[in-house]
Amino acid sequence: MKTRKYIRTTLIVLIWLVIWQILAVIVNNSILLSGPVDTVKALIDLGTQPSFYLSVGATAGKVLIGFLIGLVTGTLLSVLSYRFSLVKDFLSPFVSVVKSIPVVSFIIIALIWAGSSNVTVIVSSVIAFPIFYKNILEGLSVTDKKMLDMAKVFQMKTSKKIRYIYLPSLSSHIKSAVSLAIGMAFRGGITAEVVGQPLRSVGNGLYRAKINLATSEMLAWTLTAVLAAFIIERLISFIVKKVLK
């Protein structure tokens, strides 16, 4: 079944690549639309430059740091909100505001407070925080009360309650939060780099490609960001699955 699924996915991707290439041939203007062939060529050219790997590594590292900050703060505050209703009520307006404010507003504020070198970390953490907070709080809220009462009667240790009661309840919520947060953190972090223009970053590469009207290079940077987010998301999801087991 897995082999058939992979074959089907591969065929679908190939079909979309063919459609993309056909559209590029019809448009016949590399500035308006570069095809997958030109994009791959641009990616290969970028791959010959050491600064390309430094930029990708710097962006991925900063996004990952912001993601982890959002994970830790979101988890800790969701646990406190679960235990104490006052904390939940106190944080509710703040979380709602963080979820609602446009990313660009956070970027501008972060640039004023911390400068362009730190904007990626700040924006990524702000984006990841409410995702983990809401998902983990929801998972804690639906934990089986009867199981918790039974654990209390038998005086089960906190570590065992976490392992055998809370983690099974939180499993799907944590996986969902990780998958959603890493992608959104990458999008927000790179957007912040395009605005803030820190040196040696994916966002800076995108901006330079844009002002030079190098559409194929811009798409190559975009493809790099997508692949980086995909690889990191799969890696973190794998680690999470092992921990939850």
Side-chain angles (χ1 to χ4, degrees), residues 136-236:
I136 293 176
L137 182 57
E138 183 180 348
L140 290 170
S141 300
V142 299
T143 303
D144 193 335
K145 304 298 181 185
K146 293 181 180 179
M147 292 290 290
L148 293 173
D149 291 338
M150 184 181 69
K152 187 175 181 180
V153 169
F154 287 98
Q155 297 182 338
M156 184 182 287
K157 292 182 179 179
T158 302
S159 59
K160 290 187 175 181
K161 284 197 290 186
I162 293 173
R163 181 176 180 181
Y164 296 112
I165 300 177
Y166 284 112
L167 281 182
S169 177
L170 287 169
S171 179
S172 61
H173 294 84
I174 293 174
K175 292 175 183 177
S176 175
V178 167
S179 180
L180 179 61
I182 191 66
M184 293 190 67
F186 256 95
R187 286 196 292 270
I190 291 174
T191 301
E193 291 178 345
V194 173
V195 176
Q197 287 299 296
L199 296 176
R200 290 183 178 177
S201 65
V202 172
N204 180 258
L206 278 167
Y207 183 78
R208 285 188 285 104
K210 176 253 182 184
I211 61 175
N212 292 326
L213 298 178
T215 305
S216 57
E217 184 178 328
M218 185 175 66
L219 292 174
W221 279 107
T222 302
L223 179 61
T224 301
V226 171
L227 290 174
F230 175 78
I231 292 170
I232 292 176
E233 188 269 327
R234 286 302 179 94
L235 179 61
I236 294 175

Side-chain angles (χ1 to χ4, degrees), residues 1-13:
M1 289 296 292
K2 286 186 177 181
T3 303
R4 291 178 62 184
K5 183 179 179 181
Y6 289 143
I7 293 173
R8 181 181 178 183
T9 303
T10 302
L11 287 174
I12 291 172
V13 171

Side-chain angles (χ1 to χ4, degrees), residues 84-101:
F84 307 104
S85 60
L86 178 60
V87 175
K88 181 180 178 181
D89 293 339
F90 179 75
L91 290 175
S92 181
F94 171 74
V95 175
S96 297
V97 169
V98 170
K99 287 176 59 182
S100 303
I101 290 181

Side-chain angles (χ1 to χ4, degrees), residues 101-116 118-120 122-124 126-127 187-198:
I101 290 181
V103 175
V104 175
S105 298
F106 279 124
I107 294 171
I108 295 171
I109 294 170
L111 285 171
I112 294 172
W113 286 356
S116 62
N118 299 309
V119 68
T120 311
I122 295 173
V123 172
S124 298
V126 167
I127 289 175
R187 286 196 292 270
I190 291 174
T191 301
E193 291 178 345
V194 173
V195 176
Q197 287 299 296

